[in-house]
Amino acid sequence: MINNNILINVTKKLPFTKKIKLSLYSQITAGNTKLHQLSTLFWELTLRCNLNCRHCGSDCTKDAAIPDMKLEDFLKVLSEIKSVYDPSAIMIAMVGGEPLMRTDLEECGKAIRNLGFRWGTVTNGMLLTEKKFNSLLAAGLGSISVSLDGLKDSHTWMRCNKDSFENAVNAIRIIASQTRIANDVITCIHKKNINELDDIKKLLIGLGVKRWRIFNVFPKGRAKNHEGFALTNEEFVGLMEFIRQTRAEGLIHIDYACEGFLGNYEGEARDNYFFCRSGINVASIMADGSISGCLSCRRDYIQGSIYKDSFINLWENAFEMMRNRSWMKNGICKKCDVFKWCKGNGLHLRETKDDELETCHYNMILSSK
């Protein structure tokens, strides 16, 4: 449970030393943006899923309207990328939907690895047995994340399946028993689990988990019009304090997700300062072949299609709206004194180029009591 007494000493003003660090980091990210070296490519290899989660950003179903992309179609993109870039420097993240719904996942992994790329995946754990895990390892799996969204009742409520908690915990136990690959647990924080944080932490430590990644629901997909997700300003600050204290304990490595400028919590709630890499270091191939930045960004952010365009040509010459974000200085961002560091927050929090920011993490911290 979050201890509300810890909120009394929360410092909202940015100290001079942190401003200096943020300014230096901003110079680094400016150079990073200019170079725009591709480091992560998400492949939405299926929109099918064996769960019906309340917060699904992709609104996935068991029988998706868009069919799975053929492996050969994706491999053509990778071959083009390999002709220009070093494949060993690029991670292919196979996501969905639920990636393990693909019966050819190992075939996909082997083909990607044979081209010299590293690959990883994210799973809800429903289909991950020890045999399946070993099969994925043999196919070159380099990293894996499992979603666990609370203790049994809150996770089951979120995932809408009575077996989802046991299957996720079993998957975590299987993965945590080995040290060959990078792995972590991802937890979505919402109203029903915000006061379970200490118990979730104890559960994960007991399972042998070393890395824990936390985020809170943003208004996309099914979560957009669903009540019961959004944290109050005070709950959000309590979450930041929990992360800060857990990092200080050192029993499990915890990070807040890559979204949102966190003011005085920058450099304390995660390993790096805030920098939205969508379209800068991160690109995505959607299930229908669309090319974009982060998969959470849709509509206006699509740059082309693998069935009509050269990926390399687009990566080198398109993505302008993601690399020059001066257009994001509108609405509440227009007169914000941290825009020079925040750059308008994450792209996924603006549905289109004309929309204002949907969620401001910095403002939530400033507005907390």
Side-chain angles (χ1 to χ4, degrees):
M1 178 177 289
I2 290 178
N3 181 1
N4 289 326
N5 292 329
I6 64 178
L7 304 186
I8 296 174
N9 297 318
V10 172
T11 302
K12 296 178 182 179
K13 289 186 177 181
L14 287 171
F16 178 74
T17 53
K18 183 149 291 186
K19 290 180 179 179
I20 294 295
K21 291 177 181 178
L22 285 166
S23 296
L24 290 173
Y25 189 70
S26 183
Q27 293 177 30
I28 293 171
T29 57
N32 196 320
T33 302
K34 186 176 181 179
L35 290 173
H36 54 264
Q37 291 183 309
L38 182 66
S39 61
T40 302
L41 179 63
F42 286 94
W43 179 24
E44 192 176 53
L45 76 172
T46 183
L47 282 176
R48 293 179 293 127
C49 190
N50 47 10
L51 291 179
N52 188 31
C53 305
R54 299 177 189 272
H55 67 313
C56 183
S58 300
D59 203 10
C60 299
T61 59
K62 183 177 180 180
D63 299 305
I66 299 174
D68 294 353
M69 181 182 290
K70 294 178 180 179
L71 172 58
E72 61 213 59
D73 294 348
F74 184 66
L75 292 181
K76 289 179 182 177
V77 178
L78 293 191
S79 295
E80 182 188 3
I81 294 173
K82 183 179 179 179
S83 69
V84 179
Y85 303 120
D86 176 9
S88 67
I90 300 172
M91 169 62 77
I92 307 301
M94 293 199 278
V95 296
E98 169 53 43
L100 270 67
M101 292 286 284
R102 294 256 318 214
T103 58
D104 65 343
L105 187 58
E106 288 90 340
E107 181 186 349
C108 295
K110 286 179 182 177
I112 290 170
R113 199 70 190 91
N114 287 339
L115 283 173
F117 295 87
R118 296 169 293 128
W119 70 275
T121 193
V122 181
T123 179
N124 58 34
M126 291 294 288
L127 299 174
L128 192 72
T129 62
E130 190 166 355
K131 180 180 179 180
K132 184 67 173 178
F133 182 55
N134 288 331
S135 179
L136 293 172
L137 287 174
L141 177 70
S143 69
I144 187 167
S145 300
V146 180
S147 297
L148 183 74
D149 295 321
L151 300 180
K152 185 171 183 178
D153 287 347
S154 54
H155 178 90
T156 302
W157 174 83
M158 177 72 92
R159 300 286 168 171
C160 302
N161 184 292
K162 63 181 180 61
D163 299 319
S164 59
F165 178 79
E166 285 80 4
N167 285 338
V169 168
N170 184 58
I172 292 168
R173 185 179 288 111
I174 291 169
I175 294 167
S177 66
Q178 61 75 49
T179 57
R180 282 178 54 189
I181 62 171
N183 62 85
D184 66 357
V185 170
I186 305 173
T187 300
C188 170
I189 303 302
H190 51 85
K191 286 286 190 181
K192 290 186 178 292
N193 68 9
I194 184 68
N195 289 319
E196 298 177 348
L197 289 170
D198 275 326
D199 290 329
I200 299 171
K201 178 175 66 175
K202 290 174 184 176
L203 171 64
L204 296 181
I205 292 172
L207 290 169
V209 175
K210 303 299 182 185
R211 302 188 71 88
W212 186 19
R213 192 164 16 131
I214 279 180
F215 72 100
N216 46 302
V217 179
F218 50 88
K220 293 285 184 181
R222 292 181 199 146
K224 186 159 186 140
N225 299 310
H226 197 292
E227 296 182 3
F229 285 135
L231 301 179
T232 64
N233 297 336
E234 290 69 34
E235 287 171 334
F236 182 73
V237 171
L239 175 61
M240 293 298 104
E241 285 294 317
F242 171 80
I243 294 173
R244 175 190 269 171
Q245 292 182 1
T246 300
R247 288 173 69 91
E249 290 171 0
L251 299 176
I252 186 171
H253 188 89
I254 185 171
D255 269 316
Y256 185 65
C258 60
E259 67 174 78
F261 180 78
L262 303 176
N264 202 37
Y265 291 103
E266 284 296 323
E268 298 180 38
R270 55 187 163 221
D271 293 345
N272 299 308
Y273 292 103
F274 173 70
F275 175 42
C276 178
R277 298 178 181 274
S278 181
I280 297 171
N281 305 118
V282 176
S284 298
I285 307 295
M286 298 181 179
D288 64 356
S290 296
I291 300 169
S292 187
C294 172
L295 268 175
S296 296
C297 301
R298 297 182 183 255
R299 290 176 60 181
D300 273 18
Y301 301 94
I302 292 173
Q303 302 294 299
S305 169
I306 65 169
Y307 299 114
K308 297 179 181 178
D309 305 292
S310 159
F311 177 88
I312 292 297
N313 183 54
L314 289 177
W315 183 252
E316 292 297 337
N317 301 300
F319 291 88
E320 174 61 20
M321 66 182 299
M322 303 185 200
R323 295 168 186 170
N324 179 1
R325 303 193 183 184
S326 57
W327 61 269
M328 295 176 75
K329 198 168 186 177
N330 64 355
I332 62 172
C333 297
K334 192 169 185 179
K335 296 182 179 180
C336 182
D337 60 352
V338 300
F339 184 86
K340 56 184 172 291
W341 303 313
C342 176
K343 300 292 191 298
N345 212 311
L347 285 171
H348 65 289
L349 296 173
R350 296 171 190 258
E351 190 68 18
T352 72
K353 190 172 181 179
D354 296 324
D355 287 340
E356 294 184 17
L357 184 64
E358 293 177 320
T359 301
C360 177
H361 302 73
Y362 180 62
N363 192 51
M364 291 176 73
I365 294 169
L366 293 183
S367 301
S368 64
K369 296 177 182 178

